[in-house]
Structures are given as structure tokens and as C-alpha cells.
Amino acid sequence: MASQATVNAGTARPSAGIPTSKPTVYKVLLAISLVHLFNDSIQSVIPAIYPILKDSMTLSYAQIGWISFYFNLTASIMQPVIGMYTDRKPKPYMLPLGMASTFLGMLLLAFAPSYAFVLLAVSLVGLGSAAFHPQGSKVAHLAAGSRKGLAQSIFQVGGNAGQSLAPLLTKWIFIPLGQFGSIWFTLVAGAAMLVQTFIARWYKGVIEAGAVTAKKTVQRAMDPAKRNKIAGAIVVLVFLVFIRSWYAAAMTSYYAFYLRDVVGTTIDQAQIYIFLFLAAGALGTFFGGPLADRFGQRTVIFVSMCGAAPLAALIPYVNLGWATVLLVLTGFIVFSSFSVTVVYAQTLIPGKVGMVSGLITGFAFGMGGIGALVLGNLIDAHGISLIMKLSSLLPILGILTLFLPSDRKLREWSSEV
């Protein structure tokens, strides 16, 4: 068994971020991207149903923020934990089991008789998301071969495409059907479990072939100065994702109310503008990975934040026609680094794919729930117009990208592992 563990540790080394000549398994990448679309389209039900719940349960903006907080907090706390656990003990069938929690959450949401049951329902959906994302990102990493940026883009574009459906769900399902419309998404969860079973079998086969194992690597003494630089880079990267999540929370949770109360559209009409923002974001997610493969990861992260900053800042001050153009451009640019930040973090901390993916796509992104809660309370206190104008300035903080190590420095650190 000891010799077998040695062999497995050697074969697992490419998953630690070192270039590999293994082929890219596109059928698995497309399958995991499809499940990501299913998973995040179900997640998108949560913000999509806000206008319905606000009216039917007479909720304040702060209470809407608490719904987002419960959902995101469940997902954000559990994702790094599940990621660390599955790095040590790979669990392929956690994928369909996590979706079972999502299924129960959607079933409960359809029949939730009170605000407390809504909070419980969204927490179950968040738990299912926490089980999916670290494992899904790891599957994408294993199926990537040498095309890590492209693989993460394929994986993440499914999720962002699913999120972009939220405003259309509001327009076509929840406005005509109300809260009970969420029952239809139990069918989506069922379909996702079927696809995940196929993926889990492939993942199990990879484990049995020795490409993945709960390995015990020899810990090399790392230069304390280098360790501090890596820790500092992770802090900056998490903060950047945190800021992007706060901005996304402002747009997805409250922009529809801004358009209704300030601009004068209906909630129904407002969904089209949010959809354009999110759909452009899904497109930006797809192109971000290949662009990072060509121009560098830090460059794409910097451009995605600072390039979007002036456009985002203008949105509250222009007419609806120009706002539409700016929404599309801002969505495309700001989400172009979505998959890139994951690959960058995996390069910073090689060999911890699940934990790192959970940290970036889970903890940092999930902290957008705190953003939604804070913004909801601020809107109740100071009005939606002022808070949306202040939120539009958040991408300016992308200037902190300059404190991240360059791609060349990352390669130097990787070669020293």
C-alpha cells in the first residue's frame, strides 16, 4: 500500500498546477458546465423571487438582504470546508447528493408559508451549492489537461449563464405564477442529479486510475518571506472577488427596484436590463479564460475591474438608452475575470484545488450576501438612489490588483515547488 501511495502521489502531481500533456476531456467539461448552468439557474431563483416575496410577505429591503445573507452565508462558509475535506478524501458522489439538498430547498420554497421557512429553504439551496462548486471546479481542473484557463471558462460560463436567467425567471414565471412557480425547478434539480451521476462515475474512474488521491506530500520548508507574499496575494485576491460580489449583489438584488422607483419602469420591464447585464457577464466569463492564457491572468483581473469602473460609475447618471449600453459593456468586462481569479488562486496554492476553489468561488463570492444585507439596510435608511450611486463606484477598488504578483512571479514560485 505504501508503494501504491507513492505512485499515486506522483501521478497526482499534475493536478497541483504543473503543466501536463494530458488531453482536455471536453465531454466532461461540457457536462460539468451544463450542471453548473442547472445549479446556478436554480440559485438564480432566489434573487428572482425577491419582488414577489417583498410584496406578498410585505418585506423590507433589510429583510430581502437577510434572505440573500442566509443563502450566501450557507454556501460561503461550507464551500472551503467541503473543498478542504474533498482534497484529502475525494468524494465523487457528493455531487448528486448536494443537488438533493437543492431539490429539497426548492420544494420547501414553493410551499413556504412564512418568512422563516423561506430562510430555511434558501439555506438548503446554499448548502447544495456549497457541495457542488468545489467538486465541480476540481472536475474541471482534472478534465482540463494543459488548458486550465479555457477549462475554467467553460465551467464558469455555465454558472454565469444560469445566473443570467434570474430576471427572465421573474418576468416569465414568478410574476404570473407567484412563489409556487419555484416548484418547476425541482425538475431542473432532478435533471442535474442525472448528469452529475455520469460525472461522478468518470471522477471515480479517475480516482481508481490513480490520477487523484488523498495524498500525503512531504512538506518542504518555505521561505517565510515567500509565504507572507503568497498570503498577502490571497488576501488581495479574496478582497477583489469580495468587491466584485458586492457590486454584483447591488445589481442583481436591488437594481430592479432602482429602475422602478427612480427611473419609472415596471418590475417586469426592469428584468430585461438586469438580464442584459448578466448575459453579457456570462459571455465575458467565457472569453476571460482564453484571454488570460494569452495576455496573463493579472492583466485580465486588472482590466476587468479598472476597465469597468468608469462605465459602472456612469450608469446611474445617464438615460435608459445609454444605461443599456453601459450595462452590457460593464457586465462583459467585470465578469471577464470570474474564472481567471480561480485559476490564479490555484496557481498560488498548488495541490489544493478544492479548498482554493471553495475559497474563491464560495467564501469570497458568497460574501456578496453580506453586501446585499448591508446594502438593504442602507437603502432602508438613506434611499435606493444614493446607495446605488455609491455602489457603482465599487469597481474603482480594482486598482488593488497592482499589489498581486505578476504571472512571471507565479511561474517562478511554481518552479520552486
Side-chain angles (χ1 to χ4, degrees):
M1 293 297 293
S3 61
Q4 182 62 41
T6 302
V7 172
N8 287 346
T11 57
R13 191 170 179 79
S15 66
I18 298 173
T20 175
S21 59
K22 290 184 179 180
T24 303
V25 188
Y26 285 102
K27 67 177 182 179
V28 172
L29 287 176
L30 293 175
I32 199 67
S33 181
L34 177 63
V35 173
H36 204 176
L37 187 150
F38 287 158
N39 183 84
D40 284 24
S41 66
I42 295 173
Q43 286 184 198
S44 69
V45 169
I46 310 304
I49 207 171
Y50 287 166
I52 306 304
L53 294 176
K54 189 176 189 302
D55 292 339
S56 65
M57 294 187 176
T58 318
L59 304 180
S60 66
Y61 285 110
Q63 287 176 305
I64 292 293
W66 276 110
I67 296 174
S68 184
F69 176 78
Y70 268 77
F71 167 65
N72 284 286
L73 190 65
T74 306
S76 67
I77 287 178
M78 292 305 298
Q79 277 198 45
V81 174
I82 291 174
M84 286 188 287
Y85 175 71
T86 56
D87 280 338
R88 294 193 300 267
K89 298 180 179 180
K91 301 291 183 183
Y93 286 97
M94 187 177 287
L95 286 165
L97 288 176
M99 188 57 66
S101 175
T102 298
F103 178 93
L104 292 175
M106 295 312 300
L107 188 64
L108 179 59
L109 183 60
F111 296 98
S114 66
Y115 182 65
F117 279 95
V118 170
L119 295 179
L120 175 59
V122 300
S123 297
L124 287 171
V125 176
L127 185 60
S129 176
F132 168 72
H133 281 99
Q135 290 285 80
S137 188
K138 185 179 289 187
V139 167
H141 185 82
L142 290 171
S146 60
R147 309 199 66 182
K148 304 301 183 186
L150 175 63
Q152 278 297 325
S153 287
I154 292 174
F155 171 62
Q156 299 292 353
V157 75
N160 282 12
Q163 291 173 18
S164 73
L165 296 176
L168 300 185
L169 299 180
T170 303
K171 181 178 178 65
W172 292 334
I173 295 180
F174 294 115
I175 288 178
L177 298 180
Q179 179 181 337
F180 183 73
S182 57
I183 194 71
W184 289 103
F185 293 90
T186 58
L187 300 178
V188 179
M193 281 189 278
L194 290 177
V195 181
Q196 284 176 319
T197 301
F198 157 75
I199 296 169
R201 288 174 179 168
W202 177 84
Y203 188 10
K204 183 180 179 182
V206 172
I207 294 172
E208 292 174 346
V212 179
T213 186
K215 52 186 180 296
K216 295 182 180 179
T217 55
V218 176
Q219 297 294 322
R220 297 183 182 181
M222 182 183 292
D223 176 20
K226 177 182 172 182
R227 183 186 297 111
N228 291 338
K229 289 178 181 178
I230 291 175
I234 285 292
V235 170
V236 172
L237 189 65
V238 169
F239 181 75
L240 289 171
V241 178
F242 189 29
I243 291 302
R244 188 180 63 201
S245 300
W246 273 53
Y247 179 68
M251 299 302 291
T252 57
S253 297
Y254 301 113
Y255 190 62
F257 297 112
Y258 173 83
L259 290 176
R260 182 191 67 182
D261 298 342
V262 178
V263 180
T265 70
T266 65
I267 286 290
D268 189 11
Q269 293 168 337
Q271 307 310 312
I272 299 299
Y273 301 101
I274 301 173
F275 169 73
L276 291 173
F277 171 77
L278 292 173
L283 195 62
T285 298
F286 177 76
F287 283 102
L291 288 172
D293 286 340
R294 180 167 183 178
F295 298 107
Q297 297 170 13
R298 192 178 75 161
T299 299
V300 171
I301 295 171
F302 178 80
V303 171
S304 77
M305 297 289 285
C306 293
L311 304 177
L314 285 172
I315 290 174
Y317 299 98
V318 298
N319 62 41
L320 199 53
W322 278 110
T324 304
V325 176
L326 294 174
L327 283 167
V328 171
L329 293 175
T330 302
F332 182 92
I333 296 171
V334 81
F335 284 105
S336 63
S337 64
F338 199 94
S339 61
V340 180
T341 50
V342 177
V343 178
Y344 187 95
Q346 290 172 350
T347 308
L348 267 176
I349 309 178
K352 301 290 184 182
V353 177
M355 184 273 286
V356 169
S357 300
L359 182 66
I360 298 302
T361 62
F363 181 74
F365 182 75
M367 286 298 98
I370 293 180
L373 177 60
V374 172
L375 290 172
N377 281 277
L378 290 174
I379 289 170
D380 282 337
H382 303 288
I384 196 165
S385 179
L386 173 63
I387 301 308
M388 290 304 296
K389 287 176 181 177
L390 292 176
S391 298
S392 71
L393 302 177
L394 284 170
I396 294 173
L397 295 174
I399 194 70
L400 295 175
T401 306
L402 295 176
F403 290 97
L404 291 175
S406 66
D407 288 56
R408 181 177 1 179
K409 180 60 68 175
L410 289 184
R411 287 192 294 270
E412 289 177 3
W413 288 348
S414 295
S415 66
E416 296 170 6
V417 176

